[in-house]
């Protein structure tokens, strides 16, 4: 059963990634959070990062072990009433640096995500 859930989640993640609708993108580094351009995130963006990474409900999470290790998760944000796919790409073997991207799931995929959530809860 777990493999079926992970396979379905990975297919959904691929479909969400293809839309290219990046909600937020940042890097966790040795010296804290930074944006893709190397600057520090403003306060409103820090709140958004906190909301998506900590204060959202995890629907499903998994790891992908390939040339670049990735941790992935589908989350539900009650504040937005929307689903997101979060992708953490580890840049080193010590777990100190990673690139993080959150994609907003398109509305037409939400029923499939909810069905995955229902399977997980049973």
């Amino acid at each position: 059963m777990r493999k079926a859930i992970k396979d379905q989640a990975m297919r959904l993640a691929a479909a969400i990634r293809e839309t290219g609708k990046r909600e937020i993108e940042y890097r966790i580094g040795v010296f804290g959070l930074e944006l893709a351009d190397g600057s520090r995130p403003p306060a409103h963006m820090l709140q958004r990062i906190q909301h998506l990474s900590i204060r959202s409900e995890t629907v499903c999470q998994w790891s992908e072990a390939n040339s670049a290790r990735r941790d992935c998760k589908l989350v539900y944000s009650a504040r937005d009433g929307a689903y997101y796919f979060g992708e953490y790409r580890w840049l080193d073997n010590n777990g100190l640096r990673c690139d993080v991207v959150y994609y907003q799931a398109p509305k037409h995929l939400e029923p499939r995500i909810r069905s995955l959530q229902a399977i997980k809860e049973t």
Side-chain angles (χ1 to χ4, degrees), residues 16-17 21 39 42 48 59 65 94 106-107 120:
I16 294 168
R17 194 183 293 122
K21 188 173 181 184
S39 65
R48 186 74 180 135
V59 174
N94 301 324
K107 292 287 185 195
K120 187 190 107 182

Side-chain angles (χ1 to χ4, degrees), residues 2-121:
R2 281 185 72 106
K3 183 173 177 2
I5 292 171
K6 181 179 177 181
D7 289 346
Q8 185 177 354
M10 288 175 68
R11 284 192 299 275
L12 282 167
I16 294 168
R17 194 183 293 122
E18 283 178 10
T19 66
K21 188 173 181 184
R22 294 175 179 227
E23 175 70 19
I24 196 162
E25 188 172 354
Y26 60 96
R27 173 171 284 175
I28 299 172
V30 177
F31 299 108
L33 297 176
E34 52 187 49
L35 300 177
D37 64 3
S39 65
R40 298 278 182 225
H44 74 279
M45 191 170 284
L46 286 172
Q47 289 175 347
R48 186 74 180 135
I49 290 169
Q50 180 184 36
H51 179 74
L52 287 175
S53 62
I54 299 170
R55 295 186 176 166
S56 56
E57 177 188 346
T58 300
V59 174
C60 186
Q61 62 186 27
W62 66 96
S63 293
E64 295 178 3
N66 53 16
S67 60
R69 201 183 103 207
R70 291 190 296 197
D71 292 331
C72 305
K73 64 181 182 175
L74 288 168
V75 297
Y76 175 71
S77 168
R79 185 173 104 185
D80 302 341
Y83 290 90
Y84 295 88
F85 165 59
E87 183 176 49
Y88 294 74
R89 290 188 192 128
W90 298 98
L91 303 173
D92 63 6
N93 292 328
N94 301 324
L96 297 175
R97 297 180 27 200
C98 71
D99 284 339
V100 182
V101 180
Y102 275 90
Y103 301 85
Q104 185 172 359
K107 292 287 185 195
H108 73 276
L109 292 178
E110 287 185 3
R112 290 176 54 196
I113 298 171
R114 280 194 293 274
S115 71
L116 179 69
Q117 190 172 16
I119 293 169
K120 187 190 107 182
E121 291 173 354

